[in-house]
């Protein structure tokens, strides 16, 4: 049974996950892993199926609620939605006005997360190092890809939703970053701003299908091959730093937002003369995640 302090911790973990998922390049799955709720999150999502209706009929709604761990999911999602409501505007402004400091903060946060995820592998060997390198190469390749297409076709949005939601539960690359690569980011943001419920619904349906399917697959991998899966995820997380490098240069124009802002395809660049400003925020990000990990481990011991 969880006490009040545990539920508060779950809620604020959801808040942190929401903030992470709002930034293209950072995954809420990373936060869940650091907070120690990753396995429970996967299990709760994977457990959502039609058999719960039978449990509700036979044993009552509360029995189905407990079996599905819906209290955990509801509190966590409440935290995520709180972030979207409170911080979406702020993060959007920071991305526009202070991109180097924001990206540097998240670079430090994710970089400090790599050893925290990697320590879950109790014994590293040659095979697991190779798997980590595969994850590293995969993330490096994905984060180097230019956007593939630009489309708002419903079928394309359904597939994009299914793919992007998988990234949101993986420690590493965020779903919003995958939407940028797929070329669906502008279409999804436009649908949300314009309240295009048809496209929003199609995208959401794809996200639900992808989430339920991929969570079951990932849960099975972790149950049967935990060390190998964590090794791949560690490399994947390390490779995702390619997307978070604070200093970028614009290569070509991608599209123009409805408010006139131009979105560019950017590549990593060498640090400028005033690189210390970014370095300080990298240290701050690393300190935050280290502090969160210390607090979580202390709470577990108490």
């Amino acid at each position: 049974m969880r006490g009040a302090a545990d539920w508060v911790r779950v809620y604020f973990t959801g808040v942190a996950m929401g903030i992470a998922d709002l930034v293209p390049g950072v995954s809420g799955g990373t936060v869940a892993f650091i907070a120690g709720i990753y396995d429970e999150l996967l299990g709760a999502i994977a457990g959502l199926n039609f058999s719960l209706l039978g449990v509700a009929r036979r044993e009552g709604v509360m029995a189905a609620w407990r079996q599905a761990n819906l209290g955990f999911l509801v509190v966590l999602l409440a935290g995520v939605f709180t972030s979207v409501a409170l911080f979406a505007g702020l993060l959007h402004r920071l991305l526009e006005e202070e991109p180097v400091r924001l990206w540097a903060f998240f670079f430090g946060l994710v970089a400090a997360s790599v050893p925290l995820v990697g320590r879950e592998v109790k014994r590293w060997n040659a095979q697991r190092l190779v798997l980590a390198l595969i994850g590293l190469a995969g993330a490096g390749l994905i984060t180097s890809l230019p956007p593939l297409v630009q489309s708002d076709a419903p079928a394309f949005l359904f597939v994009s939703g299914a793919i992007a939601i998988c990234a949101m539960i993986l420690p590493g690359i965020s779903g919003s970053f995958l939407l940028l690569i797929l070329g669906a980011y502008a279409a999804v943001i436009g649908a949300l701003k314009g309240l295009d419920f048809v496209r929003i619904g199609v995208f959401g349906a794809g996200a639900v299908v992808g989430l339920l399917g991929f969570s079951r697959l990932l849960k099975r991998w972790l149950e049967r091959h935990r060390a190998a899966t964590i090794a791949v995820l560690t490399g994947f997380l390390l490779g995702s730093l390619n997307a978070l490098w604070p200093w970028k240069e614009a290569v070509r124009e991608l599209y123009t937002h409805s408010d006139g802002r131009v979105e560019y395809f950017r590549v990593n660049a060498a640090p400028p003369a005033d690189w210390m400003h970014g370095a300080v925020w990298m240290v701050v990000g690393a300190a935050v995640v280290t502090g969160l990990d210390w607090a979580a481990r202390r709470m577990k011991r108490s």
Side-chain angles (χ1 to χ4, degrees):
M1 286 289 292
R2 278 190 164 97
D6 295 320
W7 286 116
V8 170
R9 177 169 166 261
V10 171
Y11 173 78
F12 280 104
T13 299
V15 171
M17 289 176 65
I19 292 173
D21 278 324
L22 284 169
V23 179
V26 187
S27 169
T30 304
V31 176
F33 213 109
I34 296 166
I37 65 164
Y38 192 71
D39 289 284
E40 184 176 7
L41 175 61
L42 279 183
I45 296 172
L48 297 175
N49 53 56
F50 290 112
S51 68
L52 293 173
L53 297 176
V55 175
R57 284 196 302 268
R58 293 190 306 272
E59 304 175 36
V61 173
M62 290 308 299
W65 179 279
R66 287 190 295 269
Q67 179 174 317
N69 203 6
L70 287 178
F72 167 77
L73 286 177
V74 168
V75 173
L76 191 71
L77 287 174
V80 171
F81 289 132
T82 299
S83 286
V84 173
L86 295 180
F87 301 116
L90 174 62
L91 285 172
H92 179 75
R93 188 164 65 252
L94 288 174
L95 281 169
E96 291 296 313
E97 299 175 4
E98 299 287 349
V100 171
R101 288 177 172 84
L102 185 64
W103 288 119
F105 174 80
F106 281 108
F107 185 96
L109 187 148
V110 173
S113 302
V114 173
L116 303 184
V117 175
R119 76 183 177 200
E120 294 292 316
V121 179
K122 303 304 180 185
R123 185 183 302 167
W124 283 90
N125 55 32
Q127 181 186 36
R128 289 165 187 170
L129 285 172
V130 169
L131 290 172
L133 289 174
I134 291 173
L136 171 66
L141 175 63
I142 292 171
T143 55
S144 301
L145 290 173
L148 302 178
V149 295
Q150 292 289 332
S151 174
D152 62 354
F156 176 71
L157 291 180
F158 181 89
V159 174
S160 297
I163 294 173
I165 198 67
C166 296
M168 290 182 180
I169 60 173
L170 277 174
I173 299 170
S174 71
S176 51
F177 185 79
L178 278 188
L179 287 179
L180 281 172
I181 292 173
L182 291 169
Y185 187 78
V188 172
I189 294 299
L192 290 171
K193 286 184 176 179
L195 297 179
D196 187 337
F197 294 110
V198 172
R199 286 181 169 78
I200 292 172
V202 170
F203 178 81
V208 170
V209 171
L211 183 63
L212 293 178
F214 186 68
S215 63
R216 290 184 175 90
L217 181 62
L218 187 54
K219 181 174 180 289
R220 191 176 304 118
W221 284 344
L222 283 169
E223 288 173 345
R224 298 180 181 179
H225 311 286
R226 185 173 183 83
T229 304
I230 298 296
V232 174
L233 293 179
T234 301
F236 201 77
L237 188 61
L238 183 60
S240 71
L241 291 173
N242 182 55
L244 298 174
W245 183 248
W247 298 283
K248 309 278 187 183
E249 60 181 4
V251 174
R252 60 184 174 85
E253 182 178 328
L254 292 177
Y255 53 83
T256 303
H257 291 275
S258 57
D259 59 4
R261 290 179 298 110
V262 178
E263 196 74 41
Y264 293 94
F265 175 55
R266 302 176 186 274
V267 297
N268 292 338
D274 60 347
W275 60 270
M276 279 297 295
H277 294 292
V280 168
W281 283 100
M282 286 182 185
V283 173
V284 172
V288 167
V289 77
T290 303
L292 289 173
D293 176 68
W294 175 83
R297 289 163 71 85
R298 185 167 183 176
M299 288 179 67
K300 285 180 181 179
R301 289 196 297 266
S302 61

